[in-house]
Amino acid sequence: MRALAPIVHLWQSVDRAELGHEIARRAPGAAVLVQVNITDEPQKGGCPLGEVDALVAELAAGGLEVRGLMGVGRFGDPAATRAGFAALVAAAERLGLPERSIGMTDDLELAVAAGATMVRVGRDLFGERPRR
């Protein structure tokens, strides 16, 4: 993190206070997005939706510029993904946060319809990842 801190424009995966404090220590005033686990899947990172307000407040109090929220939908379940995106957008609106980083290659249309301001479409740009 030390080497990256001075060159990162926007940290997109801040899901806990400890990570935010480390970023703030190395890059005071850094811009961040809070990652939210909008699908309640244990294998996915992210702050639980019910804890978003407190995490946003703590990160802002620690000197970070919280610009928005980010989340990943449930693979293969458009209804759950749509509901998760709607909940994330509603939380961002309630908190007055302008950025909503939702959607990936497989759910791009759902993300745009929900109000995404950023999407991640790496597979469409770069192809499939090699298997490990």
Side-chain angles (χ1 to χ4, degrees):
M1 181 181 298
R2 183 179 333 145
L4 290 176
I7 59 173
V8 172
H9 171 73
L10 178 65
W11 299 86
Q12 283 214 32
S13 301
V14 181
D15 62 355
R16 60 194 180 284
E18 299 80 21
L19 179 57
H21 296 311
E22 184 66 19
I23 293 168
R25 187 170 72 78
R26 298 194 184 270
V32 301
L33 300 183
V34 169
Q35 182 176 355
V36 183
N37 187 334
I38 57 175
T39 61
D40 293 324
E41 293 174 90
Q43 73 275 19
K44 287 188 179 168
C47 170
L49 193 57
E51 298 174 17
V52 168
D53 295 39
L55 181 55
V56 167
E58 185 168 350
L59 296 173
L64 295 174
E65 179 191 348
V66 182
R67 289 194 186 162
L69 305 178
M70 61 104 29
V72 177
R74 185 180 295 267
F75 181 75
D77 189 341
T81 295
R82 190 177 295 109
F85 288 171
L88 183 140
V89 168
E93 288 176 356
R94 182 183 72 251
L95 293 165
L97 301 172
E99 299 295 348
R100 293 87 191 251
S101 179
I102 53 177
M104 296 174 68
T105 298
D106 290 331
D107 53 24
L108 174 64
E109 292 81 11
L110 293 175
V112 171
T117 60
M118 294 180 188
V119 293
R120 293 168 305 281
V121 291
R123 194 174 66 247
D124 272 356
L125 296 174
F126 303 110
E128 293 290 333
R129 289 183 185 176
R131 297 278 182 215
R132 293 185 194 207

